[in-house]
Amino acid sequence: MSVHPPIPAAARRLVASAAPIIAERGLTLVGFAVSGIDRSGAQQLMLPFNGETPAVDAAVDQIRRRYGNSALTRAVLVGRDPGLEMPHLPD
């Protein structure tokens, strides 16, 4: 699945139009949100871990142990009310 060409082109135009403000104030983060996309045929893509999945899982577990379960969340859940969370017993 690839990004439709108009989306990155629009993002580039937005950044270019903000160039004077960026030059004056600096920039530490750029974020873009796209909504209203037809989800028919959408699919969750796998990240290319090249066999490193256990190392990634271990890193995620270590972060959650150190900083708590809310330290990492799925992108789709960002900004949503998590509701009630049941405590989990250690493995």
Side-chain angles (χ1 to χ4, degrees):
M1 184 186 304
S2 63
V3 175
H4 295 287
I7 295 172
R12 286 187 194 100
R13 284 193 305 272
L14 287 170
V15 172
S17 68
I21 295 171
I22 294 169
E24 178 184 325
R25 299 181 187 172
L27 181 70
T28 57
L29 176 68
V30 174
F32 293 97
V34 179
S35 63
I37 295 176
D38 180 18
R39 292 187 177 262
S40 63
Q43 55 183 297
Q44 179 68 41
L45 301 177
M46 295 277 302
L47 293 175
F49 291 125
N50 298 328
E52 298 297 324
T53 303
V56 172
D57 289 342
V60 167
D61 291 342
Q62 186 176 5
I63 290 169
R64 287 195 168 136
R65 275 193 301 275
R66 183 170 183 174
Y67 299 106
N69 284 335
S70 62
L72 296 174
T73 189
R74 295 177 184 265
V76 72
L77 299 177
V78 171
R80 292 189 181 182
D81 180 12
L84 296 174
E85 185 176 328
M86 298 302 294
H88 297 274
L89 295 173
D91 290 336

